Amino acid sequence: MQKKSVISTSVSTGRYGEFIDNLMTLSSEKKSSYVCVVNVHMTMEAHRDAAFGAVVNNADIATPDGMPIAKAMKLLYGIEQDRVAGMDLLPDLMGECEKRGKSVFLYGSTDEILEKIVVRAKQELPNLTIDAYSPPFRTLSPEEKEEIVSRINAKNPGFVFVALGCPKQEKWMAEHLGSIDSCMIGLGGSFEVYAGVKTRAPDWMQKYSLEWLYRLIQEPGRLWKRYLTTNIPFILLLIKQWAHI
C-alpha cells in the first residue's frame, strides 16, 4: 500500500476495506511480516528515536490508528483517509480468520486479559482457533525466546496479535521478522478493550479526535505526562510540515 509521511513516519493510505484485504493477503502469503498501528504517541516516539523510526517505517503496513493521523492526511495531502484503528482491526480480522479457516495467536498482555479475550472470541466466533501466551515480565533468555518462536510457529497462525505496549511491541516484531512465520500486528490496548476491561470512547468523541481525552479521564495518572509531551509537539510539528509543503 502507498505510504505518506506524517512528520517523519511513513503511514499507509487507503480505505478501511483495502487494509483488511491487504492484511489478509499478507497472512495468506505465509511469510514473516509485521504491521504497525500508528497513533500520535508512536509518531512522536519514532520522531525522537531514529532507530525506532526505522522499525515503524520498515513495517509492511502502517495503519492510521489515531484520528489525528487520518486528519493529517487530509491536511498534508488532501486525502480523505479512513481511520484504521487497532480496536476495529482485532475483531474484524478474527472474523475474517474464522471465515477463511485461519487461526490467530495472541502474544503479550496478562493471563487474565488473554483468558477474557478467548472466552469472548469463543462465544462470538465459535469456529475460530485461537491460542495465547503471556510472556514473563522480565528479560527473556535466548533459550526462552527460541521456545516462544517455536511455540508460535507450531500453531501456524494466520496472524500473531502482539500486545506489549509501544514501543516494545514494535521492536519485538522487528526483532522476530524472519523467525516468526506469520503476519504480526502490534495491537497494544486493543486487547483490554476487546476483553471488556476498558471501554472505548463514544463515536462522537472518536469523530472529533477526542478519544485521547476519554482515555485520559480513565487513566489520568498514567497518561497525563504522555499526552503533554506528545500531543502538543505533534501539533506543532504537523503545522511545520504543512507550512513547508
Side-chain angles (χ1 to χ4, degrees):
M1 305 183 73
Q2 185 181 21
K3 291 184 178 181
K4 295 288 187 180
S5 177
V6 176
I7 301 179
S8 55
T9 299
S10 296
V11 183
S12 304
T13 64
R15 310 309 295 181
Y16 184 83
E18 292 179 274
F19 277 89
I20 294 294
D21 290 342
N22 278 274
L23 290 169
M24 295 309 299
T25 297
L26 275 181
S27 173
S28 297
E29 289 176 350
K30 289 297 179 182
K31 71 173 185 177
S32 190
S33 58
Y34 71 91
V35 174
C36 293
V37 178
V38 181
N39 57 18
V40 170
H41 175 224
M42 186 182 298
T43 301
M44 293 309 301
E45 289 283 343
H47 180 71
R48 292 164 176 162
D49 181 347
F52 179 62
V55 167
V56 178
N57 289 338
N58 287 333
D60 292 77
I61 294 174
T63 82
D65 172 75
M67 187 61 80
I69 305 298
K71 288 190 173 181
M73 292 291 187
K74 174 67 173 179
L75 175 68
L76 298 172
Y77 307 106
I79 298 173
E80 294 288 350
Q81 177 58 52
D82 289 344
R83 183 185 182 192
V84 186
M87 294 179 190
D88 296 317
L89 288 176
L90 179 60
D92 288 349
L93 290 176
M94 287 200 298
E96 286 296 321
C97 285
E98 184 197 39
K99 293 176 186 176
R100 306 187 191 198
K102 295 177 178 288
S103 67
V104 299
F105 197 105
L106 311 177
Y107 180 79
S109 194
T110 65
D111 288 325
E112 177 187 4
I113 297 297
L114 295 179
E115 182 178 352
K116 290 179 181 296
I117 292 175
V118 171
V119 168
R120 177 180 170 184
K122 290 299 183 184
Q123 292 173 344
E124 298 179 356
L125 305 165
N127 295 318
L128 176 67
T129 299
I130 182 168
D131 296 283
Y133 178 69
S134 175
F137 287 87
R138 57 172 172 77
T139 302
L140 302 179
S141 68
E143 292 76 19
E144 288 175 315
K145 291 181 178 181
E146 186 175 327
E147 191 278 330
I148 287 170
V149 170
S150 298
R151 177 196 292 253
I152 294 173
N153 285 338
K155 297 298 183 179
N156 192 31
F159 290 101
V160 178
F161 298 137
V162 186
L164 300 173
C166 174
K168 185 177 179 181
Q169 64 194 17
E170 288 74 31
K171 293 179 180 179
W172 185 90
M173 293 189 297
E175 177 187 350
H176 290 83
L177 182 66
S179 60
I180 290 181
D181 304 323
S182 181
C183 178
M184 301 169 277
I185 308 181
L187 290 174
S190 302
F191 277 38
E192 293 175 319
V193 173
Y194 188 87
V197 174
K198 292 182 181 178
T199 58
R200 192 173 182 184
D203 290 343
W204 71 268
M205 295 190 80
Q206 296 178 42
K207 179 180 178 181
Y208 290 103
S209 303
L210 292 174
E211 194 160 15
W212 66 271
L213 178 59
Y214 186 82
R215 294 186 63 199
L216 179 61
I217 293 170
Q218 287 183 311
E219 299 181 85
R222 185 175 75 87
L223 294 178
W224 74 267
K225 186 175 181 180
R226 176 198 291 185
Y227 288 150
L228 180 66
T229 58
T230 59
N231 288 18
I232 295 175
F234 174 82
I235 293 171
L236 295 176
L237 287 169
L238 185 61
I239 292 172
K240 181 180 179 180
Q241 183 181 0
W242 172 75
H244 284 82
I245 293 177

